[in-house]
Amino acid sequence: MNIHEFQAKALFEKFGIAVPRGVPAKSVTEFASAVQTLGDGPSVVKAQIHAGGRGKGTFVDGYKGGVKLAKTPTEAIEIARHMLGNTLVTLQTGPAGRKVNTVYFTEAVSIKKEYYLAILLDRGSSRPVIIASTEGGVEIEKVAHETPEKITKVFIDPAVGLQGYQTRQVAFGLGFKGDEFKAACKLVDALYRCWWELDCSMVEINPLITTGDGRVLALDAKVSFDDNALFRHPEVVALRDLNEEDPKEVEASKYNLSYIALDGNIACLVNGAGLAMSTMDIIKHYGGNPANFLDVGGGASKDQVAAAFKIILTDKNVKGILVNIFGGIMDCNVIATGIVAAVKETSLTIPLVVRLEGNNVDAGKNTLAASGLTLTTATSMADAAEKIVRLVA
Amino acid sequence: MSILITPETRVLVQGITGDFGGRHAKLSLDYGTQVVAGVTPGKGGQFFEHGSHKVPIFNTVAEAAQATGATAAAVFVPPPFAADAILEGVDAKLDLVVAITEGIPIRDMVRVKRAMAGSKTRLVGPNCPGIVTPGTGKDSNGGCRIGIAPGYIHKKGHVGVVSRSGTLTYEAVYQLTTRGIGQSTSVGIGGDPVNGTSHLDVIKLFNEDPDTWGIIMIGEIGGSAEVEAARWIKANCKKPVAGFIAGATAPAGRRMGHAGAIVGGAEDTAAAKIKVFQECGIEVAATPSDMADALIRAAQRLGAKLA
């Protein structure tokens, strides 16, 4: 689960991580009081969406920049008016962009130097790793590729947690001295506590900055959480913004279905994540384009199959459906009955190819044959993919 | 032989009185697996009954292991309590703990993995379909089944299958069985980013097992475990190996069902992994329908037998 920058910074402050002063606003009426809090000087206006590249983004009406400097409070309000309710397109949003429902006003700070700091899981060692770099404000992947010597990595033993010498390794690695060194150590320590205590999957500060007046600040903040751990963090769940999620994905999660919208025209309904992924792959292999990833799980019920069909069909690009079920334990006849009910209920008119294999498959095939529905059956994944690609072409 | 488990392995089930655990304990009993104990705290002294089977339930894993001689556990405990259940099995010095539970917080698994360092217990999973060593009876009955995989699609034989994904494992096993090729053991290592046993761990076991003549390795996007295993195979394994990587069409940054199946950088894409497979002499299945045939091609190339 992801959250907005202004929410991430509020969390940071709770852990004692210094951030520039800022106030979010969700409506035009809140603008005046928000800028007043920051005082008369220059400020920065930041569109709040769950995607990076905001500064270089463009709004759909041609207005440029999702992060802008305002010299005066009046100008800040003017900029915010352009942003709020507008749709911002960045490299990460895709062409549809994201609607801006919150604008974040922050104090403008004088940047002395920019750094990069992040904590995430290192899969190789199964340990948290702190990644720090003197190259802030640019993509860390680029730094890792071009100048790997500028990256400091510190692995943390989960049995004892982050140690003082490791915090110092990070701060020295970034070249800090004197009071800035002390401030940086405090910040690294706090960031690790935030990552660990809130079950984050990643915290990223890019850039971390030093200011002319001697502060060490998180100028930006990106925080994402481990979905598996949300059950023990109701305060984090409260930060979820459904506006940032595909409505089809939200609907699917209500039925315990794992759905991800893609841009093709062949919908798929599959049991198991690995099989669902490779069903998308095999559609592509035979020249088609998958419209979605959809895993109905290992024990799908008739109702889940029906819900899955409805969600698939809300995607207007869908021109055909491929159902691929390997019923290991799950009864193929239950799935077949679910398919027949869903097809009738949705008055399906587009081509449907069904590949059933496994437990009680003969009964399942009989159910499909006896239903009188026009659907195509397939004997293998390859056969199914070839057929649906041909039917949709 | 086989790896990790044999038809004689004595198995206990943690969470046997739950809906999910109970259902699969019954299927394992039907398959002929030695399910000798159940563990549910507070229900010690009761019995789990299925047909003619009467499996004793214990309050703790240690008691269950001591009383029944169980050496392997299947964990069906819900996510908030699963890490605790795994560590209880480790404390009882079991040889093997297979964690089926899906949705365990990553932080819990980071701690479990650290706590297990130096212990004698091997963890398989979590978020995995488990392990099957097929038996000699009808539809491979009489084998050892720990977890949720369908036993009946197996056939006793000499191919090892290792995969992150349940249904893809079944797909591979089924393709082998329908071609008359049996399996020594099939192992689902699970789709989470932090797991107990890696592709490489299983590949090493298959390599050492004289009864495993060929290997199918199924991977997916995310992480570098498949790549490490492939490099080891190139240097150490003389047996025919076929590989498949799921997720060639998955967009970067989106988690594909499995918590671990997410493309982070250039190195963990399907294309990058497939390239390494090819460089390491692994016969790559072009599609998931091609997994068994890819292994047959690999065996023919080496003049090796699979059955």
Side-chain angles (χ1 to χ4, degrees):
Chain A
M1 190 192 107
N2 297 317
I3 57 172
H4 289 292
E5 175 200 358
F6 75 94
Q7 296 169 319
K9 284 185 172 167
L11 284 181
F12 277 8
E13 285 195 288
K14 280 188 196 160
F15 282 87
I17 298 164
V19 299
R21 284 186 305 127
V23 188
K26 290 185 193 307
S27 69
V28 178
T29 52
E30 292 167 39
F31 287 175
S33 70
V35 292
Q36 219 166 30
T37 321
L38 295 177
D40 279 340
S43 62
V44 180
V45 188
K46 306 176 96 171
Q48 298 294 290
I49 56 170
H50 287 187
R54 290 174 296 164
K56 291 186 181 120
T58 306
F59 289 89
V60 283
D61 64 356
Y63 189 71
K64 289 218 182 304
V67 176
K68 289 174 90 87
L69 181 70
K71 290 186 198 72
T72 64
T74 319
E75 194 190 349
I77 290 175
E78 185 57 32
I79 292 169
R81 278 177 184 277
H82 277 287
M83 290 181 177
L84 193 71
N86 205 343
T87 299
L88 180 60
V89 180
T90 79
L91 279 176
Q92 290 182 14
T93 61
R98 292 274 176 80
K99 192 178 170 202
V100 178
N101 293 307
T102 305
V103 177
Y104 190 40
F105 298 94
T106 73
E107 63 168 320
V109 288
S110 73
I111 300 172
K112 199 166 88 185
K113 184 163 167 45
E114 295 182 301
Y115 306 85
Y116 176 93
L117 182 64
I119 305 178
L120 64 157
L121 172 79
D122 175 64
R123 289 176 63 157
S125 63
S126 298
R127 291 182 174 202
V129 58
I130 299 179
I131 297 180
S133 168
T134 49
E135 304 299 293
V138 294
E139 278 189 27
I140 192 71
E141 290 84 3
K142 198 168 172 301
V143 182
H145 187 66
E146 290 167 8
T147 49
E149 71 281 1
K150 287 183 176 164
I151 292 179
T152 304
K153 281 188 183 179
V154 174
F155 296 86
I156 297 141
D157 182 342
V160 292
L162 179 66
Q163 299 297 295
Y165 76 90
Q166 295 181 305
T167 311
R168 294 193 295 275
Q169 263 175 12
V170 175
F172 281 129
L174 292 176
F176 284 117
K177 290 186 182 70
D179 286 346
E180 283 182 354
F181 176 82
K182 283 182 198 154
C185 284
K186 183 169 166 270
L187 186 145
V188 170
D189 217 50
L191 192 66
Y192 181 73
R193 273 192 291 117
C194 174
W195 188 87
W196 183 262
E197 286 173 22
L198 295 181
D199 280 287
C200 296
S201 45
M202 189 180 75
V203 291
E204 185 183 60
I205 303 176
N206 190 21
L208 171 78
I209 58 157
T210 48
T211 65
D213 52 2
R215 291 184 289 169
V216 180
L217 296 179
L219 193 65
D220 197 5
K222 207 161 126 188
V223 176
S224 59
F225 301 92
D226 175 9
D227 290 353
N228 288 351
L230 290 175
F231 69 85
R232 57 188 172 206
H233 300 292
E235 79 284 12
V236 169
V237 176
L239 301 176
R240 185 172 173 191
D241 182 355
L242 292 179
N243 290 320
E244 291 288 332
E245 298 175 31
D246 185 313
K248 296 192 289 295
E249 294 177 18
V250 175
E251 183 67 15
S253 67
K254 286 184 199 157
Y255 292 92
N256 250 330
L257 303 167
S258 177
Y259 173 93
I260 293 171
L262 300 166
D263 50 13
N265 58 7
I266 298 175
C268 18
L269 189 162
V270 191
N271 67 324
L275 198 63
M277 258 192 282
S278 47
T279 302
M280 290 158 44
D281 297 345
I282 202 167
I283 288 171
K284 193 99 177 177
H285 182 85
Y286 285 103
N289 250 319
N292 63 274
F293 167 93
L294 175 61
D295 171 13
V296 295
S301 65
K302 186 171 157 282
D303 293 344
Q304 276 180 307
V305 173
F309 259 86
K310 284 181 202 152
I311 290 162
I312 282 174
L313 291 171
T314 55
D315 179 348
K316 294 300 164 216
N317 293 328
V318 169
K319 297 284 181 284
I321 301 175
L322 170 54
V323 175
N324 181 20
I325 300 290
F326 197 107
I329 300 304
M330 148 197 293
D331 186 332
C332 286
N333 198 29
V334 171
I335 296 291
T337 312
I339 294 170
V340 171
V343 169
K344 286 184 175 159
E345 204 180 323
T346 55
S347 318
L348 190 75
T349 51
I350 56 176
L352 168 66
V353 174
V354 180
R355 183 267 179 148
L356 283 181
E357 198 54 76
N359 191 12
N360 209 11
V361 66
D362 293 334
K365 284 179 177 165
N366 286 339
T367 300
L368 292 180
S371 68
L373 299 175
T374 44
L375 53 82
T376 311
T377 54
T379 53
S380 70
M381 278 180 80
D383 184 37
E386 269 190 285
K387 280 178 174 158
I388 191 67
V389 170
R390 202 166 53 230
L391 286 167
V392 164
Chain B
M1 269 297 282
S2 55
I3 66 163
L4 298 167
I5 53 175
T6 71
E8 289 73 41
T9 301
R10 296 171 78 77
V11 180
L12 66 85
V13 176
Q14 291 171 262
I16 197 165
T17 52
D19 187 39
F20 191 40
R23 185 149 49 97
H24 286 286
K26 287 176 187 172
L27 288 166
S28 287
L29 285 166
D30 291 343
Y31 190 59
T33 302
Q34 310 293 316
V35 178
V36 295
V39 176
T40 300
K43 294 194 176 169
Q46 299 180 19
F47 289 89
F48 177 81
E49 298 190 44
H50 176 56
S52 61
H53 302 284
K54 206 173 168 194
V55 180
I57 299 173
F58 297 85
N59 283 324
T60 69
V61 174
E63 282 175 87
Q66 199 183 10
T68 65
T71 56
V75 175
F76 285 96
V77 173
F81 318 108
D84 179 66
I86 294 168
L87 290 177
E88 189 180 354
V90 175
D91 185 63
K93 300 194 168 48
L94 298 178
D95 292 334
L96 178 68
V97 173
V98 183
I100 308 303
T101 310
E102 177 178 356
I104 303 178
I106 291 169
R107 190 181 80 187
D108 292 6
M109 284 312 303
V110 165
R111 294 176 64 207
V112 164
K113 184 128 184 172
R114 177 66 179 86
M116 286 185 71
S119 80
K120 67 165 283 201
T121 307
R122 172 184 291 286
L123 172 68
V124 172
N127 186 17
C128 79
I131 312 173
V132 177
T133 289
T136 49
K138 183 179 183 291
D139 294 333
S140 77
N141 221 273
C144 184
R145 169 189 184 268
I146 301 182
I148 58 173
Y152 69 92
I153 61 168
H154 291 76
K155 173 184 164 70
K156 187 167 177 57
H158 302 286
V159 171
V161 178
V162 55
S163 168
R164 284 188 190 280
S165 142
T167 39
L168 266 182
T169 314
Y170 314 157
E171 186 79 38
V173 166
Y174 185 75
Q175 286 173 21
L176 289 167
T177 299
T178 51
R179 283 162 179 74
I181 302 170
Q183 305 86 41
S184 52
T185 304
S186 73
V187 185
I189 58 171
D192 279 5
V194 177
N195 59 8
T197 295
S198 67
H199 277 100
L200 178 54
D201 296 330
V202 179
I203 294 284
K204 284 180 178 171
L205 295 172
F206 279 140
N207 195 45
E208 285 161 17
D209 174 29
D211 254 10
T212 297
W213 300 346
I215 302 166
I216 295 183
M217 171 164 70
I218 305 166
E220 54 194 39
I221 49 167
S224 59
E226 295 90 345
V227 166
E228 281 163 34
R231 298 223 159 97
W232 189 90
I233 286 168
K234 187 184 183 187
N236 301 287
C237 181
K238 303 281 175 279
K239 298 177 182 182
V241 182
F244 177 73
I245 297 286
T249 45
R254 293 305 306 267
R255 150 180 165 164
M256 289 285 141
H258 286 161
I262 181 164
V263 170
E267 321 243 289
D268 58 0
T269 62
K273 291 188 182 187
I274 288 167
K275 189 161 170 281
V276 174
F277 275 19
Q278 286 164 338
E279 286 164 7
C280 295
I282 295 169
E283 183 72 27
V284 175
T287 73
S289 285
D290 184 41
M291 292 188 287
D293 290 334
L295 183 63
I296 293 170
R297 290 197 299 276
Q300 280 167 350
R301 210 175 56 208
L302 295 173
K305 282 200 308 180
L306 293 173

